[in-house]
Amino acid sequence: MTQTSESASAPAPLHWKLVIDCAHPQSQADFWAAALHYEVEDNNALIERLLELGALPREATVEFHARLAFRDLVAVRHPEDPYDQDSGTGLGRRLLFQRVPEEKTVKNRLHLDLHAPEGQREAEVERLRKLGASVQREVKEPSGQWVVMQDPEGNEFCVQ
């Protein structure tokens, strides 16, 4: 198959991650890793290198799941996506939880929609409740039905 000049000059899609501001990155990472069946990224090797080089102060780290983690940043990634083995950083679908000083005060302008398997929405909502989420409301419209929930820090998401 030959590439056309148009596709050869087209820019590659950008790599991205969704960053979520929060008060407790480690707790949020644990919740969302369990909610999505993702994995918490292991940045221990990178952090150890940065500490050895003096590029990262020890106060910027915490012990999390028996390994070093950044105090103010924790990411979760899809378990089947590639990741950089030297840093532990995911190269695919990721959520990054970033500590911020201010509390959440208004409705999210961006949220996740989780799609439960056919006929499993109620069971999925109950599973998420047991993980620490809460139900905000149930929506039934001609266009569909879903449940609006909040994660442990009050960030809205929907279960379809």
Side-chain angles (χ1 to χ4, degrees), residues 130-144:
K130 288 178 181 175
L131 292 174
S134 58
V135 172
Q136 193 173 13
R137 70 182 181 281
E138 294 186 29
V139 178
K140 294 180 182 179
E141 295 182 351
S143 61

Side-chain angles (χ1 to χ4, degrees), residues 41-43 49 77 81-91:
E41 289 184 354
D42 178 358
N43 302 122
R49 282 195 309 275
R77 64 176 178 80
D81 286 353
Y83 65 96
D84 182 305
Q85 293 187 353
D86 290 333
S87 68
T89 301
L91 303 172

